[in-house]
Amino acid sequence: MARCIMRLSIHALLDYRIDAEADVLLQIEAAADEPTQKVIDGKMRVATGSELHPVPVEAGVGRRTWTRGRGPFRVEYRATVEVERAVREIAGLGITPYADLPGEAVPYIWPSRYCQSDRFASFVGKAFGDVEGGAKVLAMANWVHDQLDYVPGSSDGDTGAADTFISREGICRDYAHLLISFARAAGIPARMVSAYAWDLDPQDFHAVAEVWLDDGWHMIDATRMAPIEGLVPIITGRDATDIAFMTIFGRADLNAQSVTVERLD
Amino acid sequence: MARCIMRLSIHALLDYRIDAEADVLLQIEAAADEPTQKVIDGKMRVATGSELHPVPVEAGVGRRTWTRGRGPFRVEYRATVEVERAVREIAGLGITPYADLPGEAVPYIWPSRYCQSDRFASFVGKAFGDVEGGAKVLAMANWVHDQLDYVPGSSDGDTGAADTFISREGICRDYAHLLISFARAAGIPARMVSAYAWDLDPQDFHAVAEVWLDDGWHMIDATRMAPIEGLVPIITGRDATDIAFMTIFGRADLNAQSVTVERLD
Amino acid sequence: MARCIMRLSIHALLDYRIDAEADVLLQIEAAADEPTQKVIDGKMRVATGSELHPVPVEAGVGRRTWTRGRGPFRVEYRATVEVERAVREIAGLGITPYADLPGEAVPYIWPSRYCQSDRFASFVGKAFGDVEGGAKVLAMANWVHDQLDYVPGSSDGDTGAADTFISREGICRDYAHLLISFARAAGIPARMVSAYAWDLDPQDFHAVAEVWLDDGWHMIDATRMAPIEGLVPIITGRDATDIAFMTIFGRADLNAQSVTVERLD
Amino acid sequence: MARCIMRLSIHALLDYRIDAEADVLLQIEAAADEPTQKVIDGKMRVATGSELHPVPVEAGVGRRTWTRGRGPFRVEYRATVEVERAVREIAGLGITPYADLPGEAVPYIWPSRYCQSDRFASFVGKAFGDVEGGAKVLAMANWVHDQLDYVPGSSDGDTGAADTFISREGICRDYAHLLISFARAAGIPARMVSAYAWDLDPQDFHAVAEVWLDDGWHMIDATRMAPIEGLVPIITGRDATDIAFMTIFGRADLNAQSVTVERLD
């Protein structure tokens, strides 16, 4: 078990132009209810003064914020976050039998829009059937890392794990979707986490899988692009549908967008 | 607004044979946390004495129960339920703007495993774009009722709303999935409810859609096979993945299964 | 029956840059074996002098030409074509019973890559079951015209008729795929034709459906963008897979591309 | 190169009951135009005396026969076939460059209903990119054999190669579809052949892939269930859509069906 304390400075900027007035959902704040991190001075604001209406997530970690925008739409989020996460060796953890799963883990054993885990039962049995416990998840993550190519632009909003399994290409969301699908097919609850990531190159919003092992959630990143110790979870969900950093319910054009995560100590 | 009080006697029997010991998830109890019904003397038991481990749902209404089974596996559920539901005219209700949606409704605006609402945006705009408020949902339910044929056996566990939209056939789950997909595509939160249904012929577990209008959930049944006033919700979820009445994580054979809902007064 | 004689001047220019030497398949010549047109002075050449290797189609109308390209790749095709096509009223033609279909029509009753006609049986029965003979095809073409929006960029190389039926958007290939799927689902052989089209705005390669009625093939264009009398068939196939105007088996960049069809008399 | 001469006795029986009069397409005769076999005394007849109308295939090998049926429908086919096929080592053959492919091979480089070869380009490049010539096809067939389980009932009429690649289960048609898809993705023309098969257990109609290498078609069977030397091709096509042994265009019930292939010498 590795313990690591990091103090990170986070800055995210979303600069768009919205044609006609539109509702906007923002999911970009470092999660305040995540026990492994402490958010200091977190502040999100829309430059043009739109009011912000935060609502809780129905389940999991994080919160969502509604606002409205028209014309220039520029959101900034700044925070200092102290991450103190005891990253445990996945391989040493145990799989919880179905009948011992708590209510909060149950929905994550099932397929979702982008994670058609029901279709992978036979493959997962053959490919990972001999590995037990957390080592099974590790073997799955290694498979995903080795078999996929990281190709920006190779997937879109319709791409699910079944597509990625065939095309063997994707970005972080696709790596996470495939790993989540494999885990669920093996009876291991798995959800998706959006996060700020220290030491991610190029810097951007990141997304990884989180699996339920030994009565707790554990993040695992099949892209291996950023260390787990430097992840700052934003929000969790069943798959990418729940955790997009911004959804504009109307037409918008991108001017600029940037994410910066810097270590302070 | 129609008010109606009904006293219903419910009996469900699931009689299976399970090859090797397997975990089982049961979702067959009338929801105790549903304000429009009062469950009296609800009792679920497994004849062979397996222990029952109830867990809460992460969100929505109802609860789940874990157990294990091997060999003969016979579950019985009996309850008396008083339903007092003020069924409001869907057509007279209003659509809540996105930015006013509470946290509990937000996850139900997005696509899910069986409800690929993102693919129906253009069709829904064309077919129902001129109708406002709850009348839009009613028009959608009418469309689903008129365009689909109720054909037992025409769908299976892989069938989603996109398939049903093409095949024009299905059972209650498919009617609900398509209606839910249409509603979400129009920005109206929609979820799925499994329920006992009075006056359903033949008697069976039933499933309907539930939409968020005027700050509350309202059931609507595109099959028109049973009156809303006589529905007894069991559990809610994003779609059929969350609300199956029983999931056996292993091989099993069906001996007998029956549902009886009788009016007592 | 309308008879119409047209003399058309055709010019097509494909100007690309091919990274590394690649095989190229060209299908841009007005069909010489199409009895309703006479090709005069047809000439295709690659500016950079690559040799051309024509091969016959295995079935149907038209021919294919192989060549190779590297660096600048500029193909020109010029021809004068006399079209004398007796366009018959589709509505007055009869459907040939399966068992009377000749060998050349049989493969076109089945689903193909982009025309999953097997999935539309129920819809086609409901929507067009009451219409007989060629009028059924006309009703299908009207439906496709009315229900789809012509939206350039709304489809890609993976889009099939099942997708288009859901999205209700597409370009000429998608209109043809959906009409072909409907026809096949009703037992009417249907294939796809690429064509030069007089009076098409903007000018481009065009594609339409062709159905087997009364022992012959008859073109029908659900987009209604160009008159049948002014179409100059290039090549026929089961769907878009067979009839692409150019396939470069490697990476290439587009410099310019144009099609001009002008009436001479 | 192995040469082998076999004299085989073939008997196929299809015994159905057809509700209302329906057209029927039969594709069960040993191919007379296949140079590696000689059909002696081939005779197909419908017990109830329906007339048979043979039509040529538009391309490839074999022929189709139309008939009609109502009530009891019993077809028998008997033949003696001499097979003299020089089975060449696939590994020693060469891949024909695209631009040298003859017209008869071109349609088989493209995706079809069940063989979505366009989706496998990346996987095929990674998995088989290092193998050259016919050895590439052999490596593909070995992969399909090793990764799939032969599970009767695991696929249906909607199952394509993309589904099989995920589910890792299937029957002979699925093995062939996946191998064909891989070959096409690598630029190797591939089609499907239905065949009678000596030494197949249990006896049934069989289907294998056929690839174009060194200017000719070569059969290869990823199921390894029957020797290539004992195959008697019936008909070829792009995939299963073209080569079903019988298609009844109406409702029918199966009474009995059997295939017997016996060696006479």
Side-chain angles (χ1 to χ4, degrees):
Chain A
M1 191 175 91
R3 178 168 300 270
C4 168
I5 305 175
M6 268 194 210
R7 202 176 160 87
L8 300 172
S9 164
I10 293 170
H11 177 226
L13 170 71
L14 308 175
D15 187 356
Y16 286 71
R17 182 174 183 84
I18 298 179
D19 286 3
E21 189 174 46
D23 295 326
V24 179
L25 183 62
L26 295 166
Q27 302 180 150
I28 60 172
E29 293 175 289
D33 53 350
E34 167 60 59
T36 65
Q37 64 193 16
K38 191 173 156 194
V39 182
I40 303 160
D41 303 330
K43 187 143 194 67
M44 174 170 63
R45 60 188 203 91
V46 178
T48 41
S50 306
E51 260 185 83
L52 300 175
H53 301 281
V55 294
V57 291
E58 63 160 0
V61 160
R63 70 170 177 181
R64 321 181 192 281
T65 301
W66 286 111
T67 188
R68 285 200 171 85
R70 189 178 55 174
F73 182 79
R74 185 185 163 99
V75 186
E76 270 197 282
Y77 174 68
R78 286 181 190 280
T80 300
V81 178
E82 275 181 16
V83 183
E84 179 174 1
R85 180 172 304 122
V87 177
R88 295 178 60 187
E89 287 291 339
I90 292 281
L93 303 174
I95 295 174
T96 310
Y98 279 119
D100 296 336
L101 288 176
E104 66 162 307
V106 174
Y108 304 97
I109 58 175
W110 288 318
S112 56
R113 171 68 176 89
Y114 295 120
C115 300
Q116 306 96 338
S117 48
D118 46 322
R119 301 183 62 189
F120 291 101
S122 176
F123 171 75
V124 161
K126 282 174 210 175
F128 310 110
D130 293 340
V131 196
E132 298 296 324
K136 190 191 288 274
V137 176
L138 206 62
M140 289 168 172
N142 289 343
W143 190 98
V144 171
H145 178 267
D146 293 347
Q147 298 295 321
L148 298 196
D149 285 338
Y150 195 94
V151 181
S154 61
S155 58
D156 61 29
D158 197 39
T159 307
D163 301 307
T164 303
F165 185 71
I166 294 173
S167 74
R168 303 290 161 111
E169 296 177 339
I171 60 166
C172 63
R173 80 193 280 284
D174 306 300
Y175 280 68
H177 283 158
L178 194 51
L179 177 52
I180 290 166
S181 301
F182 285 174
R184 291 180 188 169
I188 302 164
R191 65 185 188 187
M192 195 156 165
V193 193
S194 67
Y196 292 103
W198 172 70
D199 203 17
L200 177 68
D201 181 23
Q203 293 222 327
D204 202 346
F205 291 102
H206 198 42
V208 304
E210 201 169 35
V211 292
W212 182 271
L213 292 171
D214 268 357
D215 293 327
W217 291 108
H218 301 270
M219 288 187 285
I220 181 163
D221 180 359
T223 71
R224 298 186 195 161
M225 290 173 70
I228 299 294
E229 290 82 353
L231 291 182
V232 177
I234 297 169
I235 190 168
T236 59
R238 296 201 184 181
D239 58 27
T241 49
D242 290 334
I243 65 171
F245 60 88
M246 180 167 67
T247 308
I248 299 174
F249 294 85
R251 275 196 47 81
D253 295 305
L254 167 67
N255 292 328
Q257 183 172 304
S258 68
V259 170
T260 314
V261 179
E262 285 175 342
R263 189 159 185 178
L264 295 176
D265 45 6
Chain B
M1 190 174 91
R3 177 168 300 269
C4 170
I5 305 175
M6 267 194 212
R7 202 175 161 87
L8 300 171
S9 164
I10 292 170
H11 178 225
L13 170 70
L14 309 174
D15 187 355
Y16 286 72
R17 184 174 181 84
I18 298 180
D19 287 4
E21 189 174 47
D23 295 325
V24 179
L25 183 62
L26 295 166
Q27 301 179 151
I28 59 172
E29 294 175 288
D33 53 350
E34 167 60 56
T36 65
Q37 63 193 16
K38 189 172 156 196
V39 182
I40 303 160
D41 303 330
K43 185 141 195 70
M44 174 169 62
R45 61 186 201 91
V46 179
T48 40
S50 306
E51 263 184 82
L52 299 175
H53 301 283
V55 294
V57 292
E58 63 163 1
V61 159
R63 70 171 177 179
R64 319 180 194 282
T65 300
W66 285 111
T67 188
R68 286 199 172 87
R70 188 178 55 175
F73 183 79
R74 184 183 164 100
V75 186
E76 270 196 282
Y77 174 69
R78 286 181 190 279
T80 300
V81 179
E82 275 181 16
V83 183
E84 180 174 2
R85 182 172 301 123
V87 178
R88 297 178 58 186
E89 287 291 339
I90 292 280
L93 303 173
I95 296 175
T96 310
Y98 280 119
D100 296 335
L101 287 176
E104 66 162 305
V106 175
Y108 304 97
I109 58 175
W110 288 317
S112 56
R113 171 67 175 90
Y114 295 120
C115 299
Q116 306 94 339
S117 48
D118 47 321
R119 300 183 62 189
F120 291 101
S122 175
F123 172 76
V124 161
K126 281 175 212 174
F128 311 109
D130 294 339
V131 197
E132 298 296 324
K136 191 191 287 275
V137 176
L138 207 62
M140 290 169 172
N142 290 342
W143 190 99
V144 171
H145 178 267
D146 293 347
Q147 298 296 321
L148 298 196
D149 285 337
Y150 195 93
V151 181
S154 62
S155 59
D156 61 28
D158 197 39
T159 307
D163 301 308
T164 303
F165 184 71
I166 293 173
S167 75
R168 303 290 161 111
E169 295 177 338
I171 59 167
C172 63
R173 78 193 281 283
D174 307 300
Y175 281 67
H177 283 159
L178 194 51
L179 177 51
I180 290 167
S181 301
F182 285 174
R184 292 180 188 168
I188 302 164
R191 66 186 186 185
M192 195 157 167
V193 193
S194 65
Y196 292 102
W198 171 72
D199 202 18
L200 177 67
D201 181 23
Q203 293 221 328
D204 201 348
F205 291 101
H206 198 41
V208 304
E210 202 169 35
V211 293
W212 183 271
L213 292 171
D214 267 356
D215 293 329
W217 289 107
H218 301 269
M219 289 188 286
I220 182 163
D221 180 0
T223 72
R224 297 187 197 161
M225 291 173 69
I228 299 294
E229 290 81 353
L231 291 182
V232 176
I234 297 169
I235 190 168
T236 59
R238 298 201 183 182
D239 59 26
T241 49
D242 290 335
I243 65 171
F245 61 87
M246 180 168 66
T247 308
I248 299 175
F249 295 86
R251 275 195 48 79
D253 295 304
L254 167 66
N255 293 325
Q257 184 171 303
S258 68
V259 170
T260 314
V261 179
E262 286 175 341
R263 188 156 185 183
L264 295 176
D265 46 6
Chain C
M1 191 174 90
R3 177 167 299 269
C4 170
I5 305 175
M6 269 194 210
R7 203 178 160 86
L8 300 172
S9 164
I10 293 169
H11 178 224
L13 170 71
L14 308 175
D15 186 356
Y16 286 72
R17 181 172 182 85
I18 299 179
D19 287 3
E21 188 174 46
D23 294 325
V24 179
L25 182 63
L26 296 165
Q27 302 180 150
I28 59 172
E29 294 174 287
D33 53 349
E34 167 60 59
T36 66
Q37 64 193 15
K38 189 172 156 195
V39 182
I40 303 159
D41 304 330
K43 185 143 196 67
M44 173 169 64
R45 60 186 204 92
V46 179
T48 40
S50 306
E51 260 184 83
L52 300 174
H53 300 282
V55 294
V57 291
E58 62 162 2
V61 159
R63 70 171 177 180
R64 320 180 193 281
T65 301
W66 286 110
T67 188
R68 286 200 171 85
R70 189 179 54 177
F73 183 79
R74 184 184 164 98
V75 186
E76 271 197 283
Y77 174 69
R78 286 180 190 279
T80 301
V81 178
E82 274 181 18
V83 183
E84 179 173 3
R85 181 173 303 123
V87 178
R88 296 177 59 185
E89 287 292 337
I90 291 280
L93 303 174
I95 296 175
T96 310
Y98 280 119
D100 295 336
L101 288 176
E104 66 163 306
V106 175
Y108 304 97
I109 58 176
W110 288 317
S112 56
R113 171 68 177 89
Y114 295 119
C115 300
Q116 305 97 338
S117 48
D118 46 323
R119 301 185 62 191
F120 292 101
S122 176
F123 171 76
V124 162
K126 282 175 211 175
F128 310 110
D130 294 339
V131 197
E132 298 296 323
K136 190 190 287 274
V137 175
L138 207 62
M140 290 168 170
N142 289 344
W143 190 98
V144 171
H145 178 266
D146 293 348
Q147 298 295 322
L148 299 195
D149 285 338
Y150 194 95
V151 181
S154 62
S155 59
D156 61 27
D158 197 39
T159 307
D163 302 308
T164 302
F165 185 71
I166 294 172
S167 74
R168 302 289 162 112
E169 295 177 340
I171 58 166
C172 62
R173 78 193 281 284
D174 306 301
Y175 281 66
H177 284 159
L178 194 50
L179 177 52
I180 289 167
S181 301
F182 285 174
R184 291 180 188 169
I188 302 165
R191 65 186 187 186
M192 195 157 165
V193 193
S194 66
Y196 292 102
W198 172 70
D199 202 17
L200 177 69
D201 180 24
Q203 294 223 327
D204 201 347
F205 291 101
H206 197 42
V208 304
E210 200 168 36
V211 292
W212 183 271
L213 291 171
D214 268 358
D215 294 327
W217 291 106
H218 301 269
M219 289 188 285
I220 181 162
D221 180 1
T223 71
R224 297 188 197 161
M225 291 173 69
I228 299 293
E229 290 82 353
L231 291 181
V232 176
I234 297 170
I235 190 168
T236 60
R238 297 199 183 182
D239 58 27
T241 49
D242 290 335
I243 64 170
F245 60 86
M246 180 167 67
T247 308
I248 299 174
F249 294 85
R251 277 196 47 79
D253 296 304
L254 168 66
N255 292 327
Q257 183 172 305
S258 68
V259 170
T260 315
V261 178
E262 286 174 341
R263 188 156 184 181
L264 295 177
D265 46 7
Chain D
M1 191 174 90
R3 177 169 299 269
C4 169
I5 306 175
M6 268 194 211
R7 201 176 162 89
L8 300 171
S9 165
I10 293 170
H11 177 225
L13 170 71
L14 309 175
D15 187 355
Y16 286 72
R17 183 173 181 84
I18 299 179
D19 286 4
E21 190 174 47
D23 295 324
V24 179
L25 183 62
L26 296 165
Q27 302 180 149
I28 59 172
E29 294 175 287
D33 53 349
E34 166 60 59
T36 66
Q37 64 193 15
K38 192 173 155 194
V39 182
I40 302 161
D41 302 330
K43 185 142 196 69
M44 173 169 63
R45 62 189 201 90
V46 178
T48 41
S50 305
E51 261 185 82
L52 300 175
H53 301 283
V55 295
V57 292
E58 64 164 358
V61 159
R63 70 171 177 179
R64 320 180 193 281
T65 301
W66 286 110
T67 188
R68 285 199 173 87
R70 188 178 56 175
F73 183 79
R74 186 184 162 99
V75 186
E76 271 197 281
Y77 174 69
R78 286 181 190 279
T80 300
V81 179
E82 275 182 16
V83 183
E84 180 174 3
R85 182 173 303 121
V87 178
R88 296 178 59 185
E89 287 292 341
I90 292 282
L93 302 175
I95 295 174
T96 310
Y98 280 118
D100 296 336
L101 288 176
E104 65 162 307
V106 174
Y108 303 96
I109 58 176
W110 288 317
S112 56
R113 172 68 176 89
Y114 295 119
C115 300
Q116 306 95 337
S117 48
D118 46 322
R119 300 184 61 190
F120 291 101
S122 175
F123 172 75
V124 161
K126 281 175 210 175
F128 310 110
D130 294 340
V131 197
E132 299 295 325
K136 189 190 289 273
V137 176
L138 207 62
M140 291 168 171
N142 289 343
W143 190 99
V144 171
H145 178 267
D146 294 348
Q147 298 295 322
L148 298 196
D149 285 338
Y150 195 93
V151 181
S154 61
S155 59
D156 61 28
D158 197 39
T159 308
D163 301 307
T164 303
F165 185 71
I166 293 173
S167 74
R168 303 288 162 112
E169 295 176 340
I171 59 166
C172 62
R173 78 192 280 283
D174 306 301
Y175 281 67
H177 284 159
L178 193 51
L179 177 52
I180 289 167
S181 300
F182 285 174
R184 291 180 189 169
I188 302 165
R191 66 185 186 186
M192 196 157 166
V193 193
S194 66
Y196 292 103
W198 171 71
D199 202 17
L200 177 68
D201 181 23
Q203 293 222 326
D204 201 348
F205 290 101
H206 198 42
V208 304
E210 201 169 37
V211 292
W212 182 271
L213 291 170
D214 268 358
D215 294 326
W217 291 107
H218 301 269
M219 289 188 284
I220 181 162
D221 180 0
T223 71
R224 296 188 198 162
M225 290 173 70
I228 298 293
E229 290 82 353
L231 292 181
V232 176
I234 297 170
I235 191 168
T236 60
R238 297 200 183 182
D239 59 27
T241 49
D242 290 335
I243 64 170
F245 61 87
M246 180 167 67
T247 308
I248 299 174
F249 294 86
R251 276 196 47 80
D253 296 305
L254 168 66
N255 293 325
Q257 185 172 303
S258 69
V259 170
T260 315
V261 180
E262 287 175 339
R263 188 156 185 183
L264 296 177
D265 46 5

